[in-house]
Amino acid sequence: MSNMLSQLKGQSFNGIAAKLTILLLLVGLVPALVVFGVFKWSEAALKKDTEHNLENLAVHIGQTIDRNLFERYGDVQAFGLNVAAFDQANWNSNDPANPLVHAMDGYMTGYGIYRLMLLLDLSGKVVAVNSVDAKGKPIGTSQLLGANFAGEEWFAAAAQGRFLEGRNGLTGTAVAEAQFSPVVAKLYGDDGFVLPFSAPVKDAAGKAVAVWVNFADFGLVEEIYGEIYAEMEKEGRAHAELTLLDKSGRVLVDYDPHGQKSKEYRRNPNIIGKFNLAEKLEVAKRAVAGETGVEAALQARKNVWQEAAFAHTRGAYDYPGLGWSVLV
């Protein structure tokens, strides 16, 4: 009898212990499930918020570039309104005291973003050119006086009235593709990467008598990328890569300080203006096609997955933009 009671007591104790164990597990499991659910919800919300911010950043970069280029669109027309430009008594002289050359030099130093300014007659011959660079230093441009650029697209487009047409009637300026200009390169001893803006110059009667072209330093676009990256680095996103593509998908800016192991941006002549990223990367292809969004993408060179935001530029104000695309 005593043995039987002992067995019954043991079974009761074991049953209670098992029930307590299950109860304790349930008590601990419910908060754990709640915490796990909150974590998963927070993770999804954080991911969505991050994607939204990245997409907004890509759009913001594009808008900043276009606002800057909108001003350059108007500069070339404004410069041509100077009476010294259509007064042919000022042509064919590179004397800094010449009113036209003096005006050009003032624009060069006043704006600080142009590398070369030319005034050409309607045959494409250079009749005036700036004599100093953006810092006011004399530069050997006299060799360009009399040179003919009739075969250049930026001249032909302006002379023939093929302008970049904007909203609300914005017109009058031809904007060429970003390019490595041999003329600018020879003057400065570098790659001469510029963005040409050209427009006809009209006399007092409204008749076109010449073409003015400003070669904007492409560094004005790259500086925008540098400023954006500096802010991202402060936020702990030093691994960020920032890219700009032209309308066909060719790389114009490849800003990746961490990957390139240098904070000093240098154009890679094998990449810039040559490598078509839209042929290699789906998000680049979608951006060039006019889309804006965010997508996970495999970075082939680094073999890592990244959140890639992309935005097709839409222009700013009345300026329609050049159909470029931004990747972040």
Side-chain angles (χ1 to χ4, degrees):
M1 177 65 75
S2 60
N3 289 337
M4 186 180 295
L5 288 172
S6 297
Q7 290 175 4
L8 288 172
K9 288 179 180 179
Q11 290 174 2
S12 297
F13 177 79
N14 290 336
I16 292 171
K19 290 177 181 178
L20 283 172
T21 299
I22 292 171
L23 181 61
L24 289 171
L25 284 173
L26 288 173
V27 170
L29 184 60
V30 171
L33 289 173
V34 170
V35 170
F36 180 74
V38 170
F39 170 75
K40 294 303 290 183
W41 178 86
S42 299
E43 182 184 39
L46 180 61
K47 183 176 186 296
K48 185 176 181 180
D49 187 53
T50 299
E51 291 177 345
H52 180 70
N53 289 338
L54 284 177
E55 182 178 327
N56 283 345
L57 180 59
V59 172
H60 169 69
I61 293 173
Q63 290 176 339
T64 303
I65 292 171
D66 280 341
R67 284 196 296 268
N68 197 306
L69 298 188
F70 166 73
E71 295 179 8
R72 310 291 73 82
Y73 188 99
D75 286 349
V76 66
Q77 293 187 48
F79 297 171
L81 293 175
N82 192 315
V83 66
F86 56 80
D87 183 351
Q88 297 188 24
N90 298 321
W91 292 10
N92 300 308
S93 169
N94 205 42
D95 184 349
N98 179 323
L100 177 53
V101 178
H102 181 73
M104 285 181 153
D105 289 347
Y107 295 144
M108 286 290 294
T109 56
Y111 285 77
I113 54 174
Y114 293 113
R115 309 207 74 195
L116 179 65
M117 294 180 186
L118 300 176
L119 184 70
L120 310 96
D121 66 18
L122 295 183
S123 72
K125 186 183 74 171
V126 176
V127 295
V129 58
N130 58 287
S131 68
V132 300
D133 64 15
K135 294 182 179 180
K137 180 181 177 182
I139 188 170
T141 54
S142 58
Q143 59 185 303
L144 296 175
L145 207 59
N148 194 291
F149 292 94
E152 295 291 338
E153 173 58 23
W154 47 259
F155 172 79
Q160 297 168 14
R162 291 186 281 111
F163 307 128
L164 182 66
E165 301 288 344
R167 295 179 284 271
N168 298 317
L170 181 70
T171 188
T173 296
V175 186
E177 296 291 333
Q179 56 194 257
F180 293 98
S181 166
V183 174
V184 176
K186 185 178 179 180
L187 280 174
Y188 290 91
D190 55 26
D191 63 13
F193 199 44
V194 292
L195 195 59
F197 293 80
S198 54
V201 173
K202 299 178 180 180
D203 62 17
K207 178 184 177 182
V209 295
V211 167
W212 187 304
V213 58
N214 289 333
F215 293 88
D217 186 348
F218 199 81
L220 66 90
V221 174
E222 295 160 344
E223 285 179 7
I224 293 171
Y225 270 66
E227 291 168 1
I228 295 294
Y229 177 81
E231 291 299 318
M232 297 185 75
E233 186 179 33
K234 289 179 183 177
E235 296 169 357
R237 295 185 285 178
H239 289 74
E241 297 174 33
L242 306 173
T243 309
L244 178 67
L245 309 178
D246 70 7
K247 63 183 179 182
S248 67
R250 291 176 301 181
V251 176
L252 294 178
V253 178
D254 180 25
Y255 211 96
D256 180 17
H258 187 271
Q260 295 162 356
K261 296 180 173 55
S262 175
K263 289 188 178 181
E264 183 180 350
Y265 179 72
R266 292 188 179 89
R267 302 183 192 108
N268 184 337
N270 297 319
I271 299 294
I272 304 303
K274 295 179 181 178
F275 185 78
N276 193 311
L277 194 61
E279 296 176 352
K280 307 290 184 180
L281 193 63
E282 181 62 24
V283 292
K285 181 179 179 180
R286 290 179 60 187
V288 171
E291 295 185 44
T292 294
V294 184
E295 184 178 295
L298 180 64
Q299 216 277 19
R301 178 162 47 90
K302 298 180 180 178
N303 195 32
V304 294
W305 284 92
Q306 299 174 320
E307 286 291 341
F310 52 96
H312 189 79
T313 61
R314 308 293 179 187
Y317 312 121
D318 294 337
Y319 175 73
L322 295 170
W324 289 352
S325 298
V326 177
L327 303 182
V328 179

